[in-house]
Amino acid sequence: MAVFDRGNIRRLATALLTGAAVCAYVATASSVFAEDGVIVGDPQDQSKLLLTANELTYNRDTERVIATGGVRMHYSGYRMVAQRIEYNQSTGRVLARGNIELIEPGGNRIYADELDVTDNFAQGFVNTLRVETTDNTRIAGESAERLSEDLMVLNNGVYTACLPCAERPDKPPLWQVKAERVIQDGKTHTVRLERARFELFGKSIAYLPFITVPDNTVKRKSGFLFPRMTVTDNLGFGVGVPYFQVLSDTADLTVTPTYYTAQGLLLEGELRQRFETGSHTLRAAGINQMNPDDFDANTSDALNDRRAMIASKGDFTINPRWTFGWDAMVQTDNNFSRTYELKGYKNGVQTNRLYLTGRGERNDFDANAYYFNVQDNDDSEVEERKQAIVHPAVDYRYFLPDPVYGGELSLTTNFTSLTRRNQDAYNLGDSVRYNGLEGSYTRFSTEAEWKRTFTFDSGLLLTPLLAARGDALWTDMSANGFGTGRNYDGTINDDASLRGMATFGLEAKYPVLFTALHSNHVIEPIAQIFVRPNEGYAGELPNEDAQAFVFDATNLFERDKFSGFDRIEGGTRANIGVRYNGTFDNGYGIRAVAGQSFHLAGDNPFASNDLVNAGANSGLESDRSDYVAMAAIDAPIGLSLSTSFRFDKDSFEVNRSETAVAYTNNRITGKVSYTQVDAQPDYGYDRKRDIIQASGKLRLDDNWSLFGAINYDINNKFSSERRIGILYQDECTIFTVSYADEGNINAVREAANDWSVNARLAFRTLGDISVGSAGTDWDDADIGWKPTNY
């Protein structure tokens, strides 16, 4: 607020008189009006008083200026409207009455029946006060006294962040805090509520000697946050009280002691630091378990009393194109963070990553190093030692800006280097599957591809393609204890190897457009042929990044259908199919793809046994593949349906199918999917899988919703996830409570806590109380704000 001395009083009176004169002269003089009708002078000079009123008088004897009837005043950044404003020149006080609305320089609005303040608005009294801040916080009081420019005290005040009911303004808000004294301090940027009662639905539920909350200007404020609670079967009931400390404008710290009735005190800390180019977060947690025997015997949770973790995460921008960062976690045992559901580090596999990323207009670069923390109940960390330590994996792609012989030329490069401490292999029937070998492996791959599309007058599109690839590989790996089985009939080449592949391809497409009365249809037959030599060292080299493989309509027309660089598709192959796209005037859309692939010459790479038998039971291992098809329908009513099938080439039986239905409207959001996959014994799945996944949300009204999710394996009668809950949300409150349990068909991967109850109650501007981990449930809230310590 601006402060003026007594010398300003005479100038104020002169300004008032000048304003009155301008009002009288407005019909003939050239003046500038603001949109709200207030006469404005120089907008840069905030010290001038600008005034309009129906009637303005000045009494020289009493030194009073009186404005009545629709008075509007703009002075020192303040704007005020009232029925009557009286200025006493001798005392320097301003008295306003009748439907007062005062807008402060910061944007807060003050409503009152009567206001008596000094001419700089620094001190004064207000009757029947109501304050609305810029973040929709509301404070009201029977009376108020402004003690200084930064301090105002309200008597018998009410504080809330809820909007009044439009239909029933007299109805109490969902929550409010009533206090005998409300102190708004502009220096500390706080609102202190003394001898306060917290009311919910108009009923008092708690008494607080005092409560202090940050005002609307504060983004961060030191102090205790609302408590967090948990209820789990092996940890018992837990309650934690976080303390938030602002260290500087760019750093803060949260310390959370949590006491579990079954296991004792868990201490957590999170230090956050922002820099000009990025941010860094350091987390640590530890506990000395009181009753480790409550966990299953011989598990990592039961065998470790003193447990701790430390984690660091950074993300920095070097320039608009380059970023780098990391996310790393170490812990005393392999299951601590998952068991205690530490925020950000409770997944079954924690991926430690160091990365450098660059993006350009025609090129991109990614370099990543990985270490995988497998969180399970095996204290010997067998599964973690089977994971590859990647140091690093580098990808680079570049598109030449100028055409080369009228076509597009691109370059793709990958460098991968990794080490595995223990081999990852298991017996499956009479075969052996090697997910990874013990030792080290390094590969450098680079490929150039040129293609150009020719368009003929008939509508035929021909696209010739030329590609050349080279690989340099260094391996020092061994298959310990298993020897060689039916699943792998090659030998590991523990030395440097070179591999190459040249491809000539030709694609022909003939799109045909049909136009009906209310729809358009495009049918596009497609035929491809790729001529290549056989894959070098097929099945004789490690397969680390091309293990996941599903043949369906999405990759029917891919030149190389393997998912990574370790395998190369060789031999001559043709792909034939048809693509359809239909659009209707009523908003419906249909799209579909169907076709088949043929191995014409050379060795079929999908019939070559490698360490994981990636092509086995895929539908591509024979010269004539299975049929693949997919279709999708989009409806304007919010309904979408998609389905994908792979049919046996001889019997036409379904070998694989995926069907999903999704529906969204103002009240219902849901998705149901069904996946059916026949047994793939040579690929690692010895039983048929029929899996149903469903998730949804039902909005009961504007505020209440039900939500849930399930993942169920029909054949194994096994549910890997179940969650159900209820959610309430409005502009000032979010409440959710849910029940969840997780399962794993592999006993080692079972969570220490089979079930959990999660709940969270958040009051905007006050904070939130949590039970368990309800972060996922907050994702269902779509009202535009999140809890304070979300």
Side-chain angles (χ1 to χ4, degrees):
M1 297 182 184
V3 179
F4 294 85
D5 55 25
R6 289 294 178 184
N8 284 327
I9 295 176
R10 189 172 300 278
R11 289 191 292 271
L12 175 60
T14 303
L16 285 168
L17 293 174
T18 303
V22 171
C23 290
Y25 193 63
V26 68
T28 57
S30 176
S31 302
V32 181
F33 290 83
E35 291 183 1
D36 59 1
V38 177
I39 301 174
V40 298
D42 182 2
Q44 304 300 322
D45 188 355
Q46 294 292 320
S47 65
K48 287 187 177 181
L49 183 142
L50 309 171
L51 179 72
T52 62
N54 294 339
E55 182 179 343
L56 191 147
T57 60
Y58 175 63
N59 190 323
R60 293 182 180 273
D61 296 333
T62 60
E63 296 182 310
R64 292 176 182 269
V65 179
I66 302 173
T68 58
V71 185
R72 298 187 180 188
M73 185 178 72
H74 189 177
Y75 179 58
S76 295
Y78 289 84
R79 291 177 291 164
M80 183 168 65
V81 297
Q83 290 300 313
R84 176 188 174 93
I85 293 180
E86 180 179 328
Y87 175 66
N88 191 319
Q89 185 176 351
S90 60
T91 62
R93 299 193 68 89
V94 176
L95 178 64
R97 293 188 178 93
N99 297 327
I100 301 170
E101 180 180 356
L102 173 65
I103 303 177
E104 296 181 321
N108 294 342
R109 294 175 180 265
I110 298 176
Y111 301 89
D113 291 337
E114 185 175 339
L115 182 146
D116 183 359
V117 295
T118 57
D119 57 11
N120 58 8
F121 295 93
Q123 295 178 329
F125 300 91
V126 185
N127 288 328
T128 316
L129 172 72
R130 179 164 55 93
V131 180
E132 294 181 3
T133 66
T134 54
D135 67 343
N136 282 329
T137 301
R138 284 162 168 74
I139 306 173
E142 293 181 358
S143 62
E145 181 179 3
R146 194 146 199 169
L147 303 178
S148 68
E149 181 181 357
D150 298 316
L151 188 64
M152 183 169 65
V153 179
L154 290 80
N155 300 310
N156 296 325
V158 178
Y159 175 91
T160 185
C162 301
L163 297 176
C165 179
E167 298 178 354
R168 294 178 53 193
D170 57 333
K171 179 182 179 181
L174 178 64
W175 64 265
Q176 61 185 359
V177 182
K178 289 185 176 180
E180 292 187 15
R181 279 175 27 115
V182 180
I183 304 172
Q184 193 173 23
D185 193 329
K187 289 185 178 180
T188 61
H189 300 285
T190 59
V191 177
R192 180 182 173 91
L193 307 164
E194 296 182 347
R195 294 185 289 278
R197 301 187 315 276
F198 183 84
E199 292 187 357
L200 193 63
F201 298 107
K203 304 295 183 182
S204 296
I205 63 171
Y207 172 79
L208 303 170
F210 71 91
I211 180 173
T212 302
V213 297
D215 67 18
N216 63 294
T217 65
V218 174
K219 301 300 182 183
R220 303 178 307 150
K221 183 69 177 178
S222 298
F224 287 99
L225 304 179
F226 273 59
R228 304 174 182 175
M229 289 168 280
T230 62
V231 180
T232 53
D233 51 349
N234 286 322
L235 304 181
F237 175 76
V239 57
V241 181
Y243 182 81
F244 179 80
Q245 178 64 49
V246 177
L247 302 178
S248 68
D249 291 341
T250 59
D252 53 55
L253 171 69
T254 302
V255 178
T256 307
T258 302
Y259 183 80
Y260 293 95
T261 55
Q263 300 301 336
L265 181 66
L266 172 74
L267 188 63
E268 297 178 75
E270 183 176 36
L271 175 64
R272 295 166 292 270
Q273 174 75 57
R274 283 195 173 275
F275 303 90
E276 290 185 2
T277 58
S279 62
H280 173 245
T281 301
L282 180 67
R283 296 204 63 201
I287 190 174
N288 186 8
Q289 296 185 147
M290 294 191 308
N291 301 300
D293 294 338
D294 288 352
F295 298 100
D296 293 340
N298 299 318
T299 63
S300 55
D301 298 293
L303 296 174
N304 293 276
D305 296 341
R306 295 180 176 85
R307 312 179 73 181
M309 65 83 72
I310 186 169
S312 173
K313 184 176 183 179
D315 186 17
F316 294 89
T317 300
I318 302 174
N319 56 42
R321 293 189 176 186
W322 288 91
T323 61
F324 81 96
W326 66 88
D327 187 358
M329 182 266 284
V330 294
Q331 53 187 351
T332 54
D333 64 88
N334 62 318
N335 209 35
F336 170 56
S337 298
R338 185 174 73 141
T339 298
Y340 286 88
E341 295 187 335
L342 301 182
K343 180 181 176 182
Y345 297 92
K346 61 182 180 180
N347 294 330
V349 177
Q350 166 60 32
T351 301
N352 298 280
R353 178 188 176 210
L354 174 65
Y355 64 91
L356 173 65
T357 301
R359 295 287 182 269
E361 293 182 358
R362 304 190 65 85
N363 60 348
D364 57 78
F365 174 91
D366 280 293
N368 294 272
Y370 297 102
Y371 180 89
F372 301 97
N373 287 105
V374 178
Q375 302 199 77
D376 57 25
N377 57 32
D378 181 8
D379 194 51
S380 60
E381 301 184 355
V382 170
E383 291 299 319
E384 183 170 315
R385 296 182 65 86
K386 292 178 180 179
Q387 304 303 309
I389 303 172
V390 183
H391 45 71
V394 180
D395 290 280
Y396 179 72
R397 193 168 189 188
Y398 177 65
F399 292 86
L400 269 68
D402 299 320
V404 177
Y405 294 104
E408 180 186 70
L409 179 63
S410 63
L411 302 174
T412 302
T413 300
N414 174 267
F415 173 79
T416 298
S417 178
L418 59 86
T419 300
R420 183 175 280 102
R421 292 171 291 176
N422 289 347
Q423 128 178 322
D424 183 7
Y426 59 91
N427 285 305
L428 186 66
D430 58 353
S431 64
V432 181
R433 180 178 172 86
Y434 297 89
N435 291 328
L437 300 177
E438 179 181 332
S440 60
Y441 170 60
T442 301
R443 174 185 42 74
F444 177 79
S445 304
T446 187
E447 182 179 64
E449 180 189 73
W450 175 89
K451 59 183 178 181
R452 180 182 179 183
T453 299
F454 295 90
T455 304
F456 295 88
D457 293 339
S458 61
L460 177 67
L461 303 176
L462 287 181
T463 304
L465 176 147
L466 295 173
R469 169 174 165 171
D471 300 275
L473 308 98
W474 298 267
T475 59
D476 184 12
M477 310 185 93
S478 60
N480 299 332
F482 281 90
T484 58
R486 184 173 62 85
N487 194 51
Y488 179 65
D489 56 8
T491 59
I492 302 298
N493 188 348
D494 291 331
D495 202 349
S497 303
L498 296 176
R499 182 177 63 180
M501 178 63 65
T503 303
F504 168 75
L506 181 65
E507 178 185 75
K509 296 191 294 186
Y510 192 77
V512 179
L513 173 65
F514 297 93
T515 301
L517 181 61
H518 298 290
S519 60
N520 295 301
H521 308 267
V522 177
I523 298 177
E524 186 178 35
I526 303 174
Q528 297 174 324
I529 187 169
F530 298 106
V531 181
R532 296 166 289 218
N534 292 329
E535 177 188 7
Y537 298 103
E540 298 184 18
L541 296 169
N543 179 1
E544 293 285 348
D545 69 355
Q547 297 185 8
F549 182 73
V550 175
F551 173 52
D552 57 22
T554 61
N555 57 13
L556 170 63
F557 299 111
E558 294 291 332
R559 171 168 61 89
D560 192 326
K561 296 178 175 60
F562 283 114
S563 58
F565 289 89
D566 285 336
R567 290 297 305 271
I568 301 176
E569 186 172 343
T572 300
R573 177 170 294 276
N575 304 311
I576 299 176
V578 61
R579 182 182 291 134
Y580 165 78
N581 194 349
T583 58
F584 299 81
D585 293 347
N586 58 8
Y588 282 80
I590 303 176
R591 45 191 198 282
V593 178
Q596 192 176 22
S597 184
F598 300 87
H599 178 73
L600 303 179
D603 295 334
N604 188 343
F606 301 102
S608 302
N609 294 334
D610 66 4
L611 289 167
V612 296
N613 218 3
N617 313 119
S618 66
L620 284 167
E621 65 273 21
S622 58
D623 289 343
R624 183 168 62 93
S625 79
D626 288 348
Y627 299 98
V628 291
M630 67 174 295
I633 300 175
D634 298 315
I637 59 175
L639 177 68
S640 63
L641 169 67
S642 62
T643 184
S644 174
F645 291 94
R646 177 165 65 87
F647 301 98
D648 187 90
K649 65 182 185 303
D650 298 319
S651 65
F652 214 67
E653 293 182 355
V654 177
N655 288 330
R656 183 184 183 99
S657 70
E658 297 177 66
T659 302
V661 179
Y663 180 72
T664 301
N665 66 11
N666 293 332
R667 299 186 65 86
I668 300 174
T669 300
K671 181 178 181 179
V672 178
S673 66
Y674 168 70
T675 302
Q676 176 262 313
V677 184
D678 275 355
Q680 298 173 275
D682 291 334
Y683 186 58
Y685 295 100
D686 57 354
R687 65 186 72 184
K688 183 179 179 180
R689 287 161 289 160
D690 291 87
I691 299 173
I692 293 178
Q693 293 177 288
S695 62
K697 176 183 176 183
L698 172 63
R699 187 182 292 274
L700 303 177
D701 57 25
D702 291 339
N703 304 116
W704 290 95
S705 302
L706 295 174
F707 60 87
I710 189 171
N711 189 329
Y712 186 72
D713 187 332
I714 297 176
N715 289 334
N716 296 303
K717 304 293 189 293
F718 175 77
S719 177
S720 61
E721 177 193 9
R722 288 179 295 182
R723 185 168 68 100
I724 187 170
I726 189 168
L727 169 70
Y728 174 88
Q729 55 184 1
D730 63 22
E731 81 286 346
C732 64
T733 309
I734 303 178
F735 168 72
T736 181
V737 60
S738 65
Y739 170 86
D741 65 4
E742 296 182 3
N744 197 301
I745 202 166
N746 184 350
V748 175
R749 303 303 306 279
E750 284 280 7
N753 301 294
D754 297 330
W755 56 266
S756 63
V757 174
N758 306 304
R760 207 161 186 178
L761 177 61
F763 305 110
R764 189 173 68 86
T765 73
L766 290 185
D768 66 285
I769 304 171
S770 64
V771 177
S773 176
T776 302
D777 301 340
W778 289 131
D779 295 339
D780 295 315
D782 53 6
I783 58 175
W785 66 275
K786 295 294 184 182
T788 304
N789 55 344
Y790 172 67

